Amino acid sequence: MYLCHLPTNTWSSSSFTACRLPSPSHLNSQLVSKGSEPSTCFLLLIHCPLVDAHQPKFEAVLSEVDILLNDLTFTISNLSSWMQPESASTNLATKLDDCFIRREPLGVVLIIGSWNYPLQLLLLPMVGAIAAGNCVILKPSEVSATTGSLVAELVPKYLSQECYAVIRGGAEETQELLKNRFDHIFFTGSKGVARSILQAASLHFTPVTLELGGKSPCVVYGPVNMTAAARRLVWAKFFNAGQSCVAPDYILCTSSTRDLLLPALKEALWEFYGEDPRTCPDLCRIVSPQHWTRLRALLEKTRGRIVIGGESDQEDKYMAPTVVVDVSEDDALMAEEILGPILPILSVESVEEAIALINRGQKPLALYVFSEESSVVKTVLEKTSSGGFCSNDGIVHMTLPSLPFGGVGASGWGSYHGRWGFETFSHRRACMLRGWALERFNTLRYPPYSDGKLGWLRWTTSAHSLMIPLI
Amino acid sequence: MARQVVQRAKEAFLSGRTRPLEFRLQQLQSLQRMITEKETEICTALKQDLHRSQYDTPLLELISIENELKLAMEKLSEWASRRPVEKNLLSLSDEVYIHPQPLGVVLIIGAWNYPWAVTLLPLVGAIAAGNAAVVKPSELSEHSSLLLRALLPRYLDMELYPVVMGGASETQELLRLRFDHIFYTGSCAVGRLVMEAAARYLTPVTLELGGKSPCYIDKNCNIMVACRRITWGKFVNCGQTCIAPDYILCERSIQGRVVDCIRQTLLEFYGIDPKSSPDYGRIINRHHFNRVVGLMEGYAPVLGGQSDPSQCYIAPTVLRDVPPHSRLMQEEIFGPVLPIVTVSDMDDAISFINEREKPLALYIFSSDKKAINKMMEETTSGGVTVNDVMMHYTLSSLPFGGVGQSGMGRYHGKHTFEQLSHHRACLVRSLAMENVNLSRYPPQDRRRARRVKMALKSPLIDMSKRTLVWAVVATIIGCALFITLMVILLVAAGLNCTCWYWRGFYN
């Protein structure tokens, strides 16, 4: 296992000070591959079939490489403006002072990736961490072993070995790693592991970002173009064989809507994956035998009725796109995040009932509504909470680097993508530079106190005087 | 008991009554009335808790609360409104924005040194963001806590903003319950317990801790003014301020002058006998009194050093040539004892600071801009004030918070609102233009893949109202200038033409 020395106080460590890269051009050189054009980055070298989950090339390129390149391009072109000190408005007492907010690196950041998008969930946070000027330790998921070893091989070739390292291993190695002190821990994965990370982080008051998951509900209500809705739903649900933290986990709709939706879903599935999805090159497999077994068990325990799919093959880790109806709230399929190609449909009588059901559960990472009635979209948006929200589509809200991507409540803490990643890995230092003049003015605050001094102080520091421009 | 209170707060939040801005504004206005109407009672309570003067209380606490309230009431509709963000080609016809939402029930654990400010400032942000909040004031500032418990239900919604009293065991009981955010101000030891408890429910936390805030005095500066400002910051509230300058770093050559200036300033501020000055405070209780006095053991102060346990009085005390590894330099002093540690130069001072935990505040006194920049670049801290102390706390546009062991998260002004809100990413699409989406669906081929790649890579366009307005205005101005130019050219050319024409006519 590759071990790296972690400094005890990251601000003063030689590794870290060597990597303190205040100038955007220097940071850019780490974000951009050595010797290549700004539009490419070292990740183009990972443009290869990702064998861990039999992921189709299109899905791998779109969800792992392109989204990363997009974020990199966005970050590289905006980094120098993000790094500029942000001017702060002043009051009368501080009108002559230079007040601003400086973004500073935190130190050494630990990024723990996940297996479902092993490259994106590891390297996208790294873009923000590098942009903010930190050193980074990457810990790829041991479940997606092939990608992990590729990352371990390539990162030292393209990035400064002093500042960026990859550590591989399983649960035991991660626990060992967490005994070290970091300045920020970025974790994508399950709640169980997140709890132990937070416990470890509390020892040194290490801030964390937790990208967890949850059951992302999908409400289908009112007049809806079923063909378009079904296509978008099927694409979002069965992309990466349903193994996306933001995949629509289950559908809430009335019985009549369900009766219209089912044929549309069948049609869309046939269009996308053909008569026999098992032979379709565009459908990927379950990542590991353990996850396949977990999903198979859910299908066996469910009291719902399988109306589409249901076939599976353990040896191939194959599971057909499956739709289950007549699922109740206490069904096995509703007890945990599915993270697989099984789509339960629960019947509700109204939007209010759907909202009540959603609010009885934990706050999800994403929430979807398919409806052509804007009042329905608005009602669900305002009466629920979730990490992100998308109406009349699925997943695509996370492709925009201008939107923060993260959870709330049980679905996570913190956000990243684009500038949000830069902010997550930066410390916003409040700075006030005062002069030596006007010391007489300061006597207002010095003892011995008086009513007159107090009155003046109240006025000069009041919020309203923030509005008085400097003449 | 705590469980029922929290459950009621949760139910009140779920009822949705904190969502309308009018409700939040009304609560903030009531809180403002409470501060204005009960100023005398608050001052009395603080006099009993900390021997605060009637001027210290508004100066140190009430003014900041009033300002926060005014700002929140003025800016609430702007802070709470949707924030459009840039779109790409694929989302050009969609609504793309960030929607600030309340988190739910926030637990606010206050501290005893500024019992009103550190409890009510987060409460202002919690109310503004639309949360319910359970307020747990510090039991050490007993009179202030009792007064808060009596007043808050009279002015604010009792179910949404309850006050829970008690000590360590009641706090432990509260921490076993589930909250949507915990906002804690206090010591590192309890902060650790708070974060461990938060791990159970994965509750986000804001920790306003402390640490040793260094104060560097460069030999090239106005030492008299520097010492006056430092003296004020160090001894206000009897040194019991999380951002008080904890210790001084300076070169040996100016140490004597620093001591003299502080001596002179102390005389100006508190007279010959600070014990009898109405403007000088006391230590909160006997335990902390013993702790601070214990820190001084074995050192002969160059100024002050007197104490009176019956009043928890410790005179403003300065010690010189303090060894870096002494007990005084191991923990946050939080009292009116100011050690001076000598360094050889600024680089030595920077190394000294960096060898220790990241402080909540850093103070730099220098007239040399390059030196100031160097120190700022090569160190880090929660906040920094140059050529003064503590003033960065007073500006609500600056985020106030620590880094590393000094804390996590930030607040004041809009930053509190942001800290206690969830920024929900929203993409509102329509089901029309489905043809555009066909490229992303299977079965996949090279052409489809290329189209999707291009759409994904399309640059982000700022479609916000402000940009659109500027674009329209710029276009109108551009067109107007162009038309003016054309008219001038035509008139110039036309004059010649007309001259010829008229000459021809008259001829």
Side-chain angles (χ1 to χ4, degrees), chain A residues 9 11-12 20 58 61-62 66 70 74 88-91 94 99-102 104 106 181 183 191 194-195 198-199 201-207 210 212 224-225 228-229 231-232 235 271-273 282 362-363 367 370 372 381-382 384-393 396-397 399-404 407-408 410 413 420 427-437 439 442 445-451 454 457-458 461-464 467, chain B residues 19 39 53 55-56 58-59 63 66-67 70 74 85-86 88 91 96-98 101 103 178 180 188 191-192 195-196 199-200 202-205 207 209 221-222 225-226 228-229 232 236 268-270 279 354-358 362 365-367 376-388 391-392 395 397-399 402-405 408 410 422-432 434 437 440-444 449 452-453 456-457 460:
Chain A
N9 180 321
W11 194 257
S12 64
R20 277 184 59 251
F58 173 80
V61 169
L62 186 66
D66 284 350
N70 221 19
F74 184 70
S89 50
T90 52
N91 56 24
T94 51
C99 303
F100 55 91
I101 302 167
R102 245 175 80 95
E104 296 183 346
L106 294 169
R181 185 174 173 177
D183 298 289
K191 288 194 231 329
R195 270 187 204 101
L198 209 43
Q199 286 285 353
S202 62
L203 201 60
H204 300 292
F205 299 112
T206 305
L210 303 173
L212 310 175
V224 176
N225 175 340
R231 276 209 193 103
R232 296 178 189 194
W235 177 80
E271 254 183 62
F272 290 3
Y273 305 116
D282 295 330
Q362 304 288 359
K363 291 181 195 178
L367 206 155
F370 282 83
E372 291 186 82
L381 178 61
E382 284 174 7
T384 60
S385 183
S386 61
F389 176 91
C390 181
S391 71
N392 295 320
D393 212 326
V396 288
H397 64 286
T399 64
L400 269 168
S402 49
L403 283 175
V408 64
W413 171 4
W420 302 91
H427 164 53
R428 274 181 247 176
R429 191 184 195 186
C431 303
M432 181 182 282
L433 276 58
R434 310 206 82 195
W436 296 101
E439 179 60 7
N442 273 346
R445 73 187 199 218
Y446 298 151
Y449 301 129
S450 70
D451 281 328
L454 194 57
L457 261 173
R458 268 199 151 109
T461 56
S462 75
H464 283 291
M467 309 306 159
Chain B
R19 294 202 181 236
E39 184 173 327
S53 77
Y55 301 106
D56 252 342
L59 175 70
I63 289 177
E66 284 160 7
N67 287 344
K70 276 184 219 162
E74 203 173 300
V85 297
E86 297 110 317
N88 62 13
S91 48
V96 189
Y97 56 88
I98 295 165
Q101 282 193 312
L103 291 169
R178 187 175 186 173
D180 298 288
C188 287
R192 198 162 277 122
M195 202 167 164
E196 277 169 12
R200 189 170 165 215
L202 300 171
T203 305
V205 300
L207 302 175
L209 309 174
C221 79
N222 185 332
V225 172
R228 191 180 287 130
R229 296 177 181 185
W232 168 76
V236 81
E268 262 179 59
F269 287 2
Y270 306 116
D279 300 329
N354 286 339
E355 278 161 16
R356 287 156 179 78
E357 296 294 348
K358 296 175 189 177
L362 172 65
F365 286 85
S366 177
S367 301
M376 280 182 56
E377 291 277 322
E378 295 184 16
T379 60
T380 189
S381 60
V384 60
T385 299
V386 173
N387 296 330
D388 210 328
M391 292 301 287
H392 64 284
L395 204 55
S397 51
L398 288 174
V403 64
Q405 294 271 306
M408 63 174 83
R410 63 201 73 82
H422 167 53
H423 296 93
R424 194 184 197 185
C426 298
L427 174 61
V428 179
R429 314 201 78 194
S430 85
L431 285 165
E434 178 60 3
N437 276 341
R440 76 187 200 211
Y441 300 145
Q444 276 300 323
V452 170
K453 208 180 178 102
L456 202 59
K457 279 176 147 183
L460 289 178

Side-chain angles (χ1 to χ4, degrees), chain B residues 281-293:
Chain B
R282 299 293 184 265
I283 303 297
I284 182 75
N285 62 21
R286 189 60 80 85
H287 163 75
H288 281 278
F289 171 86
N290 291 338
R291 181 186 62 79
V292 178
V293 165

Side-chain angles (χ1 to χ4, degrees), chain B residues 178-367:
Chain B
R178 187 175 186 173
F179 293 94
D180 298 288
H181 193 102
I182 301 176
F183 194 111
Y184 170 76
T185 307
S187 69
C188 287
V190 179
R192 198 162 277 122
L193 296 173
V194 168
M195 202 167 164
E196 277 169 12
R200 189 170 165 215
Y201 294 113
L202 300 171
T203 305
V205 300
T206 303
L207 302 175
E208 296 284 330
L209 309 174
K212 296 183 75 63
S213 299
C215 180
Y216 174 71
I217 306 178
D218 194 20
K219 60 179 185 244
N220 300 317
C221 79
N222 185 332
I223 296 180
M224 185 66 225
V225 172
C227 289
R228 191 180 287 130
R229 296 177 181 185
I230 294 168
T231 306
W232 168 76
K234 177 65 182 183
F235 299 107
V236 81
N237 204 34
C238 209
Q240 296 164 114
T241 310
C242 48
I243 47 168
D246 191 274
Y247 62 96
I248 288 176
L249 288 171
C250 66
E251 290 180 34
R252 194 174 291 279
S253 55
I254 59 166
Q255 189 178 205
R257 176 110 173 89
V258 166
V259 170
D260 289 337
C261 291
I262 295 175
R263 181 186 288 118
Q264 201 179 319
T265 310
L266 283 170
L267 209 61
E268 262 179 59
F269 287 2
Y270 306 116
I272 207 146
D273 179 25
K275 197 174 179 183
S276 54
S277 163
D279 300 329
Y280 189 71
R282 299 293 184 265
I283 303 297
I284 182 75
N285 62 21
R286 189 60 80 85
H287 163 75
H288 281 278
F289 171 86
N290 291 338
R291 181 186 62 79
V292 178
V293 165
L295 286 175
M296 290 195 283
E297 250 169 53
Y299 297 100
V302 71
L303 288 176
Q306 305 86 357
S307 60
D308 178 356
S310 66
Q311 283 191 34
C312 288
Y313 165 78
I314 301 176
T317 302
V318 178
L319 299 105
R320 55 180 288 166
D321 295 311
V322 174
H325 301 295
S326 61
R327 208 182 137 200
L328 260 174
M329 295 304 294
Q330 300 312 309
E331 58 179 87
E332 189 179 358
I333 294 168
F334 225 67
V337 175
L338 180 57
I340 304 177
V341 177
T342 52
V343 287
S344 51
D345 54 23
M346 180 175 253
D347 285 322
D348 193 19
I350 290 170
S351 305
F352 189 96
I353 292 165
N354 286 339
E355 278 161 16
R356 287 156 179 78
E357 296 294 348
K358 296 175 189 177
L360 185 52
L362 172 65
Y363 303 113
I364 310 167
F365 286 85
S366 177
S367 301

Side-chain angles (χ1 to χ4, degrees), chain A residues 145-324:
Chain A
T146 316
T147 315
S149 64
L150 191 62
V151 168
E153 185 194 317
L154 290 179
V155 164
K157 279 192 199 165
Y158 285 84
L159 300 184
S160 160
Q161 289 187 36
E162 258 195 328
C163 300
Y164 312 107
V166 182
I167 294 183
R168 300 190 60 206
E172 210 181 289
E173 286 81 4
T174 308
Q175 287 299 332
E176 200 55 42
L177 194 54
L178 288 171
K179 287 182 188 160
N180 289 283
R181 185 174 173 177
F182 293 96
D183 298 289
H184 194 102
I185 299 175
F186 188 103
F187 170 73
T188 308
S190 68
K191 288 194 231 329
V193 179
R195 270 187 204 101
S196 59
I197 285 177
L198 209 43
Q199 286 285 353
S202 62
L203 201 60
H204 300 292
F205 299 112
T206 305
V208 301
T209 304
L210 303 173
E211 295 282 330
L212 310 175
K215 295 182 76 61
S216 301
C218 179
V219 179
V220 184
Y221 195 86
V224 176
N225 175 340
M226 278 301 168
T227 313
R231 276 209 193 103
R232 296 178 189 194
L233 242 171
V234 163
W235 177 80
K237 176 67 185 184
F238 300 107
F239 189 96
N240 202 29
Q243 298 166 110
S244 310
C245 43
V246 284
D249 193 274
Y250 62 97
I251 292 178
L252 292 168
C253 61
T254 60
S255 318
S256 49
T257 305
R258 180 200 62 202
D259 295 338
L260 292 170
L261 183 61
L262 280 174
L265 287 173
K266 269 191 189 125
E267 178 70 32
L269 280 166
W270 184 86
E271 254 183 62
F272 290 3
Y273 305 116
E275 194 75 48
D276 181 14
R278 192 178 171 166
T279 57
C280 175
D282 295 330
L283 181 68
C284 78
R285 299 295 185 259
I286 306 304
V287 70
S288 70
Q290 293 84 355
H291 280 276
W292 183 93
T293 309
R294 179 184 65 82
L295 290 167
R296 188 69 234 168
L298 285 177
L299 274 182
E300 277 155 22
K301 283 188 208 159
T302 181
R303 295 192 302 269
R305 188 166 44 96
I306 298 174
V307 291
I308 300 174
E311 304 87 30
S312 58
D313 181 331
Q314 189 167 16
E315 205 182 308
D316 194 22
K317 294 179 286 172
Y318 165 77
M319 188 159 283
T322 303
V323 179
V324 186

Side-chain angles (χ1 to χ4, degrees), chain A residues 59-86:
Chain A
E59 286 188 1
V61 169
L62 186 66
S63 66
E64 300 267 46
V65 179
D66 284 350
I67 194 169
L68 208 36
L69 284 175
N70 221 19
D71 208 79
L72 270 164
T73 314
F74 184 70
T75 301
I76 289 169
S77 41
N78 289 288
L79 185 56
S80 48
S81 68
W82 295 349
M83 284 175 66
Q84 293 306 313
E86 182 190 334

